[in-house]
Amino acid sequence: MNRPLPEACAPRQPHRLQALLDAGLLGPHDLAQLRALPAGRVVLDALEAAAPDSPASETEQRFRELADSAPVLIWQTDLHGNVFVNRAYRDFTGRTLEALVGMGWVACVHPEDAQGYVDAYVRAYARREPYEAQFRFRRHDGEFRWMKTVGLPRHEGDRFQGYIGSTFDITDIKAAEQALQARQAWFAEVVDVLPGKLWVTDAQGCCTYLSRRWFDVTGQTPAQALGLGWLDATHPEDRARTHAAFAQALQDRSAFAFEYRLRTHDGSYRWCQDSGAPRFGADGSFLGHVGQVTDVSERRQAELDRAQALQALSEANRRKDEFIATLAHELRNPLAPIRTGVHILQRAPGTPAAQRALETIDRQLDHTVRLIDDLMDLSRLSRGTVTLDRRPAELAALVRETCEALRPQLEARTQRLRLALPEAPVWATVDALRVTQVLSNLLTNASRYSPAGTEVSVVLQPDAAGSSANLLVRDQGQGIPPDKLAAVFEMFSPLNAELGRPSSGLGIGMSIARNLVEMHGGRIHAHSDGLGHGSTFTVQLPCDPGSTVQAPGAPGGGALQALRILLVDDNVDAVESLADALRLGGHCVLALTGSARAVERALDFGPDVVVLDIGMPGMDGHALARALRAQPGTAAATLVALSGWGAPEDQRRSRAAGFDLHLTKPAAVQALEDALRQVRGAAAPLPA
């Protein structure tokens, strides 16, 4: 390891240092850097001690002796890495010279600093220029210490031969710097993050100091703001009041707090609270005020939001109470004629009065079911669980069928229904039942709020491109004030009460209609020229231009064969009444009140169709359906779920359990038979 020093370090002149200076290999700046460093002075001593006739080995030995006596870490590199490190370097790292030469020293550099340090060295090496770096270096006891290294290039003639430099411990300096930076950062944080803008005034009320936050916020300069210039940044409507309040506090030499709007640098205004306290000298003399300006915009907005929220909550609570009262009223209304009809059937069966009573009961039950369906739709829409069964449909045919179904309702009020439909088919991919629901709601409202003898018109207008169609429902009724049109589609809209017109229904139909239309990607809006001028509701739906899809054929309408039907429901009245109705249709029916022994009885009975309630105690309908599917004797039977739960998720669970159909209570007997006809197909007619 006793490698000779490069030739550039060998003496050629009276001493080696002078030779370097004369050759231009060491400039005055380099010399000053060497003299500023302890290790540099060691190097200079070695160079000056080298006489012209001193052998290179003696010079090297002298250099190493001086370097080993130095208290700092001294190192020397050639073109490939370290060739020498002094004793202090070896003692510091606890490693041998052999372990540190070459690039072995890098192993002691902190992993987070190694790449940056090497990069700095490589950049300096490529430019043949001095370099310095700070990094963490592992000491022999395993502790990483902050070090600073300074390296100077060395040459032989004009040939670059590597670096010579020193490294010294700056951990304490680093700690002091970090402590100072922490104190400075703390002070800056305290001043900069204070929410208030600090100020001081003199005994005459003139502002003599404002913190930086004031200037940052307002954009004023000290020349503009000091004195009474700060008042110029207040809102013109607040300025006189603010000045008067401040003058009163100055006169009374008292504390104060008031609020005003402060103009910010972008021209907007923020609500602020200005609070101050008097300050006095040691002799009790009044010196002025000291205080701060704090932004209270969020608090003011929160107070406003809270007031608005309380008002909205009160309004929502009022609407809820009205809705509950309306719901009770709407549910009681059909119950009265139903109860009366039952009384007539009991007292005068088979009479014309009994027939009329049956028609009334059927009509009122339909009305009650529609109310419940609307409530269920409202719940599903609010939870986002409504799904559309989109299929190609011809809109003109759909509109015609819906209008014809409702025509008797209008004729009963001596109202005319006029249709204007295009001759060419208008195809759209929609949920036909939901579109019918929307149109039925619009037609029912048009009739309800129009006097007798007026006309209700329904117009279907496709656009020229065929990409959309407008469905218009016009009436000659009471009309709606233009500023109330948006309220038509609100949930539990108070519009009827505001307009003084009688209310019917729950007040949720138009909100449901809007949601359903928007789920189709369409829009619905209302227009009226005001009270007494009628209303027009327009539904815009996307269409399928150029569609050649043919209208689906009607479901099988053939007669349904006599079936063996098993009914299972824990509601005795429900299962017995449905059994009686099906027996009247010629079916052989076994009715069970509960799921106990249902599988055993089903195997004995051999049903074609099994109708199951879902929410039964013990074995519920889903478990019973799986059990029936697992038995060879009942595996092929048609399984029908008849439940009060009818959401899409409920229907998916029924399909997963093995059901063929899912009907929602109260399902009419005819609806059950129609569903069975679609599943089982038309066959031999029922016996007379």
Side-chain angles (χ1 to χ4, degrees):
M1 296 306 299
N2 296 322
R3 300 176 61 181
L5 284 172
E7 184 181 350
C9 295
R12 295 180 181 175
Q13 301 298 328
H15 54 73
R16 180 62 175 147
L17 177 61
Q18 186 60 48
L20 291 174
L21 291 171
D22 294 343
L25 299 177
L26 191 67
H29 177 69
D30 300 325
L31 187 62
Q33 281 191 313
L34 284 170
R35 286 174 174 165
L37 299 172
R41 290 194 292 273
V42 172
V43 174
L44 291 176
D45 289 344
L47 295 174
E48 290 174 346
D53 55 352
S54 297
S57 58
E58 293 180 13
T59 303
E60 178 182 355
Q61 183 63 30
R62 175 62 175 159
F63 168 76
R64 292 190 175 190
E65 289 175 357
L66 289 171
D68 282 342
S69 66
V72 297
L73 282 60
I74 298 177
W75 48 267
Q76 182 182 8
T77 74
D78 61 11
L79 298 180
H80 306 291
N82 273 357
V83 295
F84 170 74
V85 294
N86 71 340
R87 179 180 293 109
Y89 200 119
R90 299 192 297 273
D91 292 344
F92 182 90
T93 61
R95 295 182 176 228
T96 64
L97 178 63
E98 289 78 4
L100 293 169
V101 295
M103 296 299 288
W105 58 274
V106 177
C108 298
V109 180
H110 194 285
E112 295 178 3
D113 302 338
Q115 190 61 51
Y117 179 74
V118 171
D119 289 346
Y121 176 82
V122 169
R123 285 194 299 270
Y125 183 93
R127 298 170 183 170
R128 309 297 195 256
E129 62 185 15
Y131 80 96
E132 65 178 55
Q134 294 183 10
F135 60 98
R136 285 164 290 181
F137 208 42
R138 186 172 59 243
R139 198 166 58 184
H140 59 83
D141 58 2
E143 178 185 352
F144 280 96
R145 304 284 292 178
W146 275 102
M147 312 294 285
K148 180 175 181 179
T149 190
V150 177
L152 295 174
R154 59 191 186 86
H155 297 80
E156 285 186 6
D158 57 356
R159 293 172 57 194
F160 174 72
Q161 293 297 312
Y163 282 91
I164 185 170
S166 65
T167 301
F168 49 95
D169 194 321
I170 60 168
T171 302
D172 294 339
I173 297 174
K174 269 285 188 181
E177 289 177 350
Q178 291 171 352
L180 178 60
Q181 290 171 358
R183 288 195 296 271
Q184 291 173 337
W186 175 85
F187 182 77
E189 278 185 21
V190 171
V191 173
D192 292 342
V193 306
L194 280 176
K197 295 159 274 293
L198 306 182
W199 55 263
V200 178
T201 65
D202 59 19
Q204 288 71 45
C206 293
C207 184
T208 58
Y209 169 79
L210 280 163
S211 67
R212 184 172 60 84
R213 286 282 293 167
W214 176 275
F215 305 115
D216 290 344
V217 170
T218 65
Q220 285 188 311
T221 64
Q224 294 170 327
L226 295 177
L228 292 178
W230 60 272
L231 280 167
D232 294 336
T234 61
H235 195 285
E237 296 176 2
D238 304 335
R239 193 168 299 154
R241 170 179 57 82
T242 299
H243 193 191
F246 181 73
Q248 187 64 49
L250 182 66
Q251 178 180 334
D252 298 340
R253 301 181 178 182
S254 62
F256 64 85
F258 47 80
E259 295 183 2
Y260 53 81
R261 286 164 288 181
L262 184 67
R263 186 183 66 245
T264 65
H265 59 84
D266 62 3
S268 63
Y269 284 90
R270 304 279 296 176
W271 275 103
C272 294
Q273 182 183 73
D274 200 336
S275 55
R279 56 191 184 96
F280 299 92
D283 58 356
S285 59
F286 176 64
L287 300 179
H289 280 84
V290 60
Q292 67 173 345
V293 179
T294 305
D295 192 313
V296 294
S297 297
E298 285 72 19
R299 191 205 74 203
R300 298 275 299 211
Q301 185 62 47
E303 292 172 351
L304 178 61
D305 292 344
R306 180 175 179 274
Q308 292 175 342
L310 288 174
Q311 182 178 359
L313 185 61
S314 176
E315 176 65 16
N317 190 56
R318 183 186 66 79
R319 290 194 184 186
K320 181 260 298 179
D321 291 341
E322 290 181 356
F323 172 70
I324 292 175
T326 302
L327 176 60
H329 175 268
E330 290 297 319
L331 289 176
R332 287 193 184 102
N333 272 349
L335 292 179
I338 289 173
R339 171 168 286 180
T340 301
V342 170
H343 178 76
I344 293 172
L345 291 173
Q346 291 171 338
R347 297 288 298 273
T351 64
Q355 181 59 37
R356 290 193 298 273
L358 283 172
E359 294 172 356
T360 299
I361 290 173
D362 186 59
R363 188 166 54 251
Q364 295 302 322
L365 281 174
D366 286 344
H367 176 67
T368 304
V369 169
R370 283 196 298 272
L371 286 176
I372 295 173
D373 286 343
D374 279 351
L375 287 172
M376 294 302 296
D377 279 342
L378 176 63
S379 173
R380 293 170 191 145
L381 286 167
S382 65
R383 291 182 287 117
T385 59
V386 171
T387 57
L388 300 179
D389 182 16
R390 293 174 179 265
R391 300 183 184 183
E394 206 282 295
L395 291 182
L398 192 61
V399 171
R400 184 181 293 105
E401 292 171 5
T402 305
C403 290
E404 292 305 323
L406 292 174
R407 188 182 293 275
Q409 176 181 317
L410 276 72
E411 291 177 347
R413 294 174 55 85
T414 65
Q415 294 169 336
R416 301 180 303 278
L417 178 60
R418 184 178 67 86
L419 291 180
L421 305 176
E423 295 182 1
V426 181
W427 288 96
T429 302
V430 296
D431 186 326
L433 290 178
R434 293 302 189 179
V435 173
T436 298
Q437 180 181 351
V438 171
L439 179 54
S440 298
N441 190 288
L442 295 177
L443 272 175
T444 300
N445 282 348
S447 174
R448 178 182 299 157
Y449 300 119
S450 296
T454 57
E455 180 180 272
V456 176
S457 62
V458 178
V459 181
L460 181 63
Q461 296 176 332
D463 65 10
S467 59
S468 67
N470 288 332
L471 177 60
L472 291 80
V473 178
R474 295 193 183 101
D475 64 58
Q476 298 173 341
Q478 300 175 4
I480 306 169
D483 62 333
K484 303 292 185 182
L485 289 172
V488 171
F489 300 101
E490 292 180 7
M491 193 74 71
F492 317 131
S493 172
L495 189 58
N496 287 332
E498 293 179 10
L499 299 181
R501 64 190 189 185
S503 177
S504 178
L506 300 177
I508 61 178
M510 294 305 296
S511 177
I512 292 173
R514 179 182 62 183
N515 278 277
L516 292 176
V517 170
E518 290 176 351
M519 287 180 67
H520 280 85
R523 294 184 302 132
I524 183 171
H525 63 272
H527 172 78
S528 177
D529 291 330
L531 292 176
H533 295 282
S535 306
T536 299
F537 286 82
T538 303
V539 176
Q540 185 182 58
L541 291 172
C543 293
D544 302 328
S547 176
T548 58
V549 179
Q550 297 299 313
L560 186 65
Q561 67 178 2
L563 299 170
R564 296 177 65 81
I565 301 177
L566 171 63
L567 304 179
V568 185
D569 196 324
D570 61 325
N571 186 317
V572 177
D573 289 341
V575 72
E576 292 294 348
S577 61
L578 181 56
D580 289 340
L582 290 172
R583 290 185 186 114
L584 291 174
H587 301 289
C588 178
V589 182
L590 173 62
L592 302 179
T593 54
S595 57
R597 299 183 61 198
V599 175
E600 179 184 345
R601 297 291 301 276
L603 292 173
D604 293 338
F605 182 62
D608 302 308
V609 176
V610 181
V611 180
L612 302 177
D613 180 37
I614 298 299
M616 294 184 291
M619 180 181 287
D620 66 9
H622 292 139
L624 185 52
R626 293 187 185 96
L628 292 172
R629 286 293 187 215
Q631 296 294 328
T634 54
T638 298
L639 301 187
V640 180
L642 186 60
S643 172
W645 304 102
E649 179 59 29
D650 301 315
Q651 298 181 33
R652 284 192 290 271
R653 290 181 61 196
S654 293
R655 286 194 296 271
F659 283 99
D660 298 292
L661 293 170
H662 185 109
L663 300 179
T664 305
K665 294 179 179 179
V669 176
Q670 185 62 49
L672 175 58
E673 290 190 337
D674 289 345
L676 291 174
R677 185 177 292 109
Q678 291 184 28
V679 173
R680 300 187 65 87
L686 294 173

